[in-house]
Amino acid sequence: MASFIGIDLGTTYSAIEYIDYTGRPKIIHNSDGENITASCIAFDGSEVSHTGEEARKMLGTEDNVAARFKRDMGKKTKYTYNGKKHTPTNLSAEILKRLYFDAKNQIGEINEAVITVPANFSNEARVETKKAAKLAGINVNHMIDEPTAGALHYAYEGDGALRGYYAVYDLGGGTFDVSIVNIKSSEDITVITSEGDNRLGGCDVDMELARHFDE
């Protein structure tokens, strides 16, 4: 059965869902039974050994674990693990492969996908996200700013009850985004503006707290 999926390719955790037979979005659990997948990759030599929670458990104790690379998407940054260089695009593709694999195992053939991205993502970052999806075998139909996706969801769930101007915040593991939207009905939503900071997320708060207590 052909399906359409939605992907949140997150800085710290990622998730994937599909539209069920009732027309409602439903989270797809990964092969570990979790509804989110850690955006971490561990390497054994030049090959990927673990993707997800197993890799996250090694973070901070092993030198061969990649994490938070999404924040450098669209830049010329490269990471070296066991002598091999990796780009944020290639690393993101590994996370998307894991999500795609788990989804196909549960819902079968997949036609297209919608991916949410940070509001402050540059055009280059958006292009590289599409490249990562293509490397993972995913055809991206559309990209939506993360807080805007949240606004669309709540407007839909509200069934017309939400009306007016709203500020929608998305404080993630690596980014802090906001969208200003005008909701006239569950099917009439105008995004006025979206903006964000990809160095003002949860991990940045953690680092500041650690620095404070260290001092």
Side-chain angles (χ1 to χ4, degrees), residues 10-174:
T11 304
T12 50
Y13 286 93
S14 297
I16 187 168
E17 63 178 19
Y18 73 106
I19 303 298
D20 67 14
Y21 68 94
T22 67
R24 293 180 173 84
K26 186 176 181 180
I27 284 284
I28 298 173
H29 288 75
N30 62 26
S31 53
D32 298 323
E34 302 292 337
N35 60 5
I36 54 175
T37 298
S39 301
C40 295
I41 303 165
F43 294 91
D44 183 6
S46 61
E47 301 298 322
V48 174
S49 60
H50 297 92
T51 302
E53 185 62 18
E54 286 301 313
R56 189 197 67 78
K57 290 177 181 178
M58 303 177 192
L59 190 61
T61 61
E62 302 284 345
D63 294 330
N64 60 334
V65 181
R68 304 187 184 103
F69 39 82
K70 172 185 168 181
R71 306 214 291 186
D72 291 321
M73 190 72 83
K75 301 177 182 178
K76 295 183 178 180
T77 307
K78 290 189 177 180
Y79 307 84
T80 302
Y81 299 101
N82 298 324
K84 184 177 179 180
K85 294 184 181 299
H86 302 268
T87 65
T89 304
N90 297 136
L91 295 172
S92 295
E94 293 298 330
I95 299 298
L96 288 169
K97 285 178 185 177
R98 166 70 189 274
L99 296 173
Y100 190 47
F101 175 81
D102 288 338
K104 285 190 71 173
N105 275 349
Q106 294 184 51
I107 64 175
E109 181 185 352
I110 295 171
N111 276 351
E112 295 178 317
V114 173
I115 294 183
T116 60
V117 295
N120 73 322
F121 250 24
S122 64
N123 182 63
E124 291 79 8
R126 293 168 192 267
V127 168
E128 291 303 312
T129 300
K130 283 191 174 183
K131 284 184 180 178
K134 187 174 182 180
L135 289 171
I138 302 171
N139 179 32
V140 177
N141 174 272
H142 199 64
M143 304 181 83
I144 303 176
D145 289 346
E146 289 164 357
T148 299
L152 293 172
H153 169 74
Y154 281 103
Y156 173 77
E157 288 292 313
D159 196 25
L162 294 181
R163 292 180 184 274
Y165 291 90
Y166 292 85
V168 185
Y169 297 94
D170 178 5
L171 177 58

Side-chain angles (χ1 to χ4, degrees), residues 168-180:
V168 185
Y169 297 94
D170 178 5
L171 177 58
T175 60
F176 179 55
D177 292 331
V178 61
S179 285
I180 305 298

